[in-house]
Amino acid sequence: MSDTSQILVDTATRLFEETFTPRQLALAETGRWLGTEWQAVEDMGLPLALVPEEAGGFGLPVEEALNLIRLAGAFAVPLPLAETMLANRILASAGLELPGGPVTLAPVRADDRPTLERRDGGWLLSGTAQRVPWGRAAAIMVLAEHDGRTLVALVPAGQAEVTPDINLAYEPRDTLRFETVLPAERVAPSPGVAAADLRRLGAALRCLAMAGALGRILEMTTAYANERSQFGRPIGKFQAIQQHLAVLAGQAAAARAAGDIAAEAVAQGASALPIAAAKVRCGEAAGIAAAIAHQVHGAMGFTHEHSLHFLTKRLWSWRDEFGGEGEWSRLIGREVAQAGADGLWPLVTAA
Amino acid sequence: MDLIDFPPPPAQDVEALRAEVRAFLAEELATRRPQDRARSWSGFDADFSRKVGARGWIGMTWPKRYGGHERSALERYVVLEEMLAAGAPVAAHWFADRQSGPLLLKVGSEEQRRTLLPRMAAGECCFCIGMSEPDSGSDLAAVRTRAVPVEGGFVVNGTKLWTTYAHHAHFMILFCRTGGAEERHGGTSQFLVDLKTPGITIRPIADLAGEHHFNEVVFEDAFLPSSALLGQLGDGWNQVVGELAFERSGPERFLSSFTLLVELVRALGPNPSEQAAVAAGRLTAHLLVLRRLSRSVAGMLQNGENPALQAALVKDLGAIFEQEIPDIARQLVDAEPSQRSTRDFSAVLAHTILNVPSFSLRGGTREILRGIIARGLGLR
């Protein structure tokens, strides 16, 4: 890692650790927008970490900038940092002015297809986007179709009709209805990013967040097993618990490697196969690891008092956002079938 | 941020080497049947190993003065994984390349290195590993085979068990007791044993598939010269533990059932059902991630680190993957497993089913590995 990245990661770690206490996380669950906290994140420049240097970013290597998302996952940061980082990158690459503040992405679902038509010297954006992260609180970077081409549009916060909803962790996942006329300067041809690419990129973001959360869950659960005593000794001294934690460590390691695969794929043009594999593997790891973490924490971890659930509820949600294991496995399976039996190994080594 | 580090694998363009190995294997293995490929690293063919040696693909990372080729760990990794994916019969050189050679390089005497490493690298010298015993499996420190010092050397008595390919091997790396039984770790040493030594009897042990890979090796007053001592007297435990990191992280720890995955994809054809596509896709995803973890460990070994913990993690995850493939395959393809079937899928399925129990036993049982991982987490 470069020095700049290391400094960024270290400062972000401190900020996240100090800011996103269980109390703040519980507050976010009530639906409160954490404006002060967002400002602190923005003051540090994190939303620009993926933006190219010539467009005002830090010029960090993509894989290193993506470490921030891992970190945000580890601390269950209840803000659209990952979404804003990616949206700003796409907006900047399209030559659009960055709005500042939180920016989210749409569409996130495969079946949503917003469209753009020319209207009054500007553009009319219409259509619906479901399950948009923080749709109620952020500007929206929309990929929309016009005449068979993909365009990028920036919708300022508050200009879409919002039907609020949430995921299991109470993170906003809103349905947005667009019927908005945008000035010409808010729309530009897409810099080679189509709706399917956005879904892949989104899946990669969730992989990194899951990898971060799983690393943290391993730490928390190991620490708990060393502290909690039953039958006169720390439960971590029992072989049954040790074997559980070893499995948890394996899943965290697999998710970490999958996150690395996803980050490298994003840096190299976001090809489908590695990101699909990473999403499948992180999702499976999330399921197994969350179950073990709760088992080891016992009834304590099941209470709202304890902070384990801030991470496990996110894992259970992120696992299915931007496509779950079924969808991505199917995509890989079809590619494997097309490659054929003798093409399987070359496909694996080239991915 | 992570309790257990897995750095990115070393970056190096190895595709030219990969293409070279693939072309060699396509020619050499053109007539090898799927049920033979399914033997994975258990397939034994001394002629094949000599050809691999002639290509410079054994002892690839060793110094040239010992017959090695001074290539990178990643280049070696490419050769290994291509061999395993193709189901090449590598067993005649496998153990020497993977652990006996590196062990000799690390602790062997100059004479041991000069006489043996070049022959190993040429694929002409086959090694076996004398660790397990009838009463000492997972509890390796409980070995009872003992070497007693005598004039000019040692006399060995005891029995080694599960010694793979001892009946073809020229040498064994023997792990045995040289001190008192009360000093568990301190009283052990390693020896380089010429298997032609009088007093050594090698008897076959058939496995549950009815095949002969394992042996019982009995030492009865077998005399070993002083020059057979490998490394320091009493340092056997530390040496063996170092050896195990090499043994636990390679591609052989997740590719043992790969031939069945290949035959599954063949049986499913170009238009698999929804369920089959999901299952095959999921297995492929696991394979990609395991490969990344394993290459990460290869890089750590290259840097001289001791990734014993990471290696245990790779082997544990790899065994789960290898063991679930037959269960998934039989849900997707209607076929009864049969070793004698003329249908490739049935024959490969049969071979794999009969071998999977060993995948979480050999090279350290699942429970032992998880104990190592728990220790790495600071729990014991």
Side-chain angles (χ1 to χ4, degrees):
Chain A
M1 217 187 316
S2 69
D3 286 352
T4 324
S5 296
Q6 192 59 57
I7 292 167
L8 194 65
V9 162
D10 291 346
T11 4
T13 305
R14 265 200 306 281
L15 175 73
F16 292 170
E17 206 163 19
E18 285 163 13
T19 311
F20 301 106
T21 58
R23 203 169 148 265
Q24 290 304 98
L25 294 177
L27 198 61
E29 285 199 348
T30 66
R32 173 90 65 89
W33 168 250
L34 301 183
T36 318
E37 290 76 5
W38 172 266
Q39 200 52 52
V41 167
E42 190 160 319
D43 289 347
M44 204 179 267
L46 305 187
L48 299 178
L50 277 174
V51 171
E53 205 165 7
E54 57 276 17
F58 308 155
L60 288 178
V62 170
E63 295 97 315
E64 296 185 5
L66 288 171
N67 276 327
L68 291 172
I69 295 172
R70 219 186 275 262
L71 210 56
F75 290 97
V77 171
L79 294 169
L81 174 60
E83 289 82 358
T84 305
M85 281 171 61
L86 179 57
N88 279 343
R89 178 179 177 82
I90 296 172
L91 289 169
S93 308
L96 292 174
E97 198 182 330
L98 303 185
V103 194
T104 187
L105 314 153
V108 300
R109 295 262 295 234
D111 44 359
D112 290 334
R113 297 273 159 74
T115 56
L116 279 163
E117 292 164 45
R118 298 241 178 231
R119 180 70 56 89
D120 308 332
W123 295 89
L124 171 67
L125 173 69
S126 6
T128 305
Q130 308 162 74
R131 308 293 300 171
V132 177
W134 277 274
R136 69 190 74 162
I140 309 140
M141 191 281 305
V142 184
L143 289 183
E145 301 299 315
H146 170 73
D147 241 359
R149 286 194 311 150
T150 304
L151 303 180
V152 183
L154 175 64
V155 181
Q159 287 199 14
E161 182 192 320
V162 177
T163 311
D165 201 350
I166 49 171
N167 68 11
L168 299 175
Y170 298 88
E171 293 179 309
R173 296 294 184 259
D174 303 328
T175 296
L176 303 180
R177 167 119 198 91
F178 303 112
E179 196 62 47
T180 316
V181 178
L182 299 169
E185 67 270 18
R186 291 241 171 80
V187 177
S190 160
V193 183
D197 303 306
L198 187 60
R199 196 165 168 75
R200 283 208 287 274
L201 292 164
L205 300 185
R206 292 296 183 263
C207 285
L208 285 155
M210 282 194 276
L214 284 166
R216 181 95 185 291
I217 279 183
L218 175 62
E219 270 178 33
M220 282 174 68
T221 311
T222 305
Y224 183 79
N226 277 327
E227 286 159 14
R228 168 79 175 170
S229 273
Q230 291 285 274
F231 306 102
R233 52 182 170 155
I235 59 169
K237 295 291 170 205
F238 292 97
Q239 279 200 0
I241 301 290
Q242 292 176 356
Q243 300 267 315
H244 272 324
L245 284 167
V247 175
L248 173 51
Q251 297 302 319
R256 184 209 162 128
D260 289 343
I261 289 174
E264 280 172 24
V266 169
Q268 293 161 12
S271 64
L273 194 69
I275 293 178
K279 190 69 170 45
V280 170
R281 191 63 189 86
C282 284
E284 199 172 316
I288 298 168
I292 293 175
H294 277 290
Q295 187 66 26
V296 173
H297 276 85
M300 298 292 179
F302 197 69
T303 62
H304 203 266
E305 284 287 276
H306 200 280
S307 49
L308 178 64
H309 68 94
F310 293 120
L311 290 165
T312 52
K313 288 189 304 199
R314 278 173 174 76
L315 285 174
W316 293 320
S317 300
W318 294 342
R319 185 177 183 179
D320 288 311
E321 291 178 2
F322 294 98
E325 288 115 82
E327 177 180 334
W328 290 115
S329 293
R330 191 158 51 239
L331 179 142
I332 304 169
R334 301 253 180 253
E335 277 201 36
V336 164
Q338 284 309 305
D342 299 321
L344 172 61
W345 181 249
L347 180 123
V348 166
T349 56
Chain B
M1 173 156 67
D2 290 285
L3 279 181
I4 302 166
D5 197 30
F6 274 96
Q12 187 186 358
D13 185 5
V14 287
E15 292 317 299
L17 172 62
R18 190 184 297 287
E20 202 187 322
V21 179
R22 271 186 197 166
F24 168 81
L25 291 172
E27 195 182 319
E28 287 297 322
L29 307 180
T31 59
R32 190 167 172 79
R33 301 174 309 165
Q35 52 265 58
D36 297 324
R37 293 177 191 261
R39 292 173 191 284
S40 186
W41 44 295
S42 296
F44 190 102
D45 180 340
D47 289 336
F48 177 81
S49 288
R50 267 191 291 274
K51 286 181 191 168
V52 175
R55 286 289 185 127
W57 293 336
I58 305 175
M60 286 177 77
T61 60
W62 306 349
K64 285 184 177 167
R65 66 181 184 282
Y66 299 127
H69 304 279
E70 297 183 6
R71 299 184 78 162
S72 69
L74 193 64
E75 288 176 304
R76 173 175 178 269
Y77 194 95
V78 165
V79 171
L80 292 190
E81 66 173 353
E82 289 297 325
M83 296 265 168
L84 293 169
V90 295
H93 67 268
W94 187 255
F95 303 101
D97 180 78
R98 180 177 73 185
Q99 61 197 98
S100 305
L103 180 69
L104 251 67
L105 269 176
K106 203 167 159 197
V107 303
S109 68
E110 188 57 23
E111 193 205 330
Q112 287 166 342
R113 293 179 191 171
R114 282 205 183 283
T115 50
L116 287 171
L117 289 171
R119 288 176 59 203
M120 288 181 180
E124 288 169 355
C125 188
C126 180
F127 271 70
C128 66
I129 310 298
M131 289 193 197
S132 298
E133 296 188 4
D135 297 320
S136 163
S138 287
D139 185 8
L140 191 56
V143 287
R144 290 205 297 215
T145 298
R146 176 179 294 278
V148 177
V150 294
E151 178 72 30
F154 298 84
V155 167
V156 181
N157 280 286
T159 300
K160 290 288 166 184
L161 200 60
W162 321 125
T163 318
T164 303
Y165 286 120
H167 54 304
H168 290 316
H170 303 98
F171 289 90
M172 171 192 278
I173 305 283
L174 171 70
F175 175 71
C176 66
R177 191 150 294 286
T178 44
E182 67 292 347
E183 19 167 7
R184 251 172 79 81
H185 294 165
T188 56
S189 304
Q190 282 183 303
F191 292 90
L192 190 57
V193 181
D194 184 336
L195 288 171
K196 290 193 301 291
T197 303
I200 297 177
T201 313
I202 299 171
R203 299 196 191 106
I205 307 275
D207 63 23
L208 62 75
E211 296 186 349
H212 172 206
H213 308 289
F214 293 140
N215 298 277
E216 179 188 59
V217 182
V218 182
F219 292 80
E220 291 166 299
D221 290 332
F223 173 77
L224 304 180
S226 305
S227 60
L229 178 68
L230 185 53
Q232 297 299 311
L233 191 68
D235 217 12
W237 182 257
N238 291 332
Q239 292 174 196
V240 153
V241 169
E243 204 180 327
L244 290 173
F246 289 101
E247 197 188 321
R248 285 178 176 158
S249 62
E252 75 272 25
R253 296 309 182 186
F254 56 90
L255 288 174
S256 310
S257 304
F258 183 69
T259 303
L260 180 56
L261 184 56
V262 170
E263 293 312 313
L264 171 65
V265 171
R266 202 183 310 283
L268 294 176
N271 295 302
S273 70
E274 193 85 352
Q275 180 204 7
V278 168
R282 173 182 166 272
L283 287 173
T284 307
H286 275 256
L287 183 51
L288 253 61
V289 173
L290 282 164
R291 187 168 170 266
R292 166 114 190 167
L293 289 167
S294 167
R295 286 159 68 238
S296 169
V297 180
M300 296 173 81
L301 286 170
Q302 172 162 301
N303 295 337
E305 297 166 49
N306 178 14
L309 170 61
Q310 285 86 348
L313 277 163
V314 172
K315 182 167 161 9
D316 188 34
L317 288 171
I320 294 169
F321 171 74
E322 294 177 334
Q323 289 181 326
E324 70 178 344
I325 291 176
D327 241 33
I328 291 168
R330 53 171 292 289
Q331 285 175 34
L332 300 173
V333 179
D334 290 326
E336 288 182 38
S338 164
Q339 288 168 287
R340 293 179 189 167
S341 176
T342 52
R343 192 179 162 196
D344 290 337
F345 182 85
S346 288
V348 171
L349 179 63
H351 180 89
T352 311
I353 288 173
L354 293 173
N355 280 278
V356 286
S358 70
F359 299 167
S360 52
L361 301 172
R362 62 186 185 189
T365 64
R366 169 170 295 147
E367 292 71 21
I368 289 289
L369 296 173
R370 291 184 179 171
I372 292 169
I373 298 164
R375 180 172 293 121
L377 292 173
L379 290 163
R380 32 191 314 194

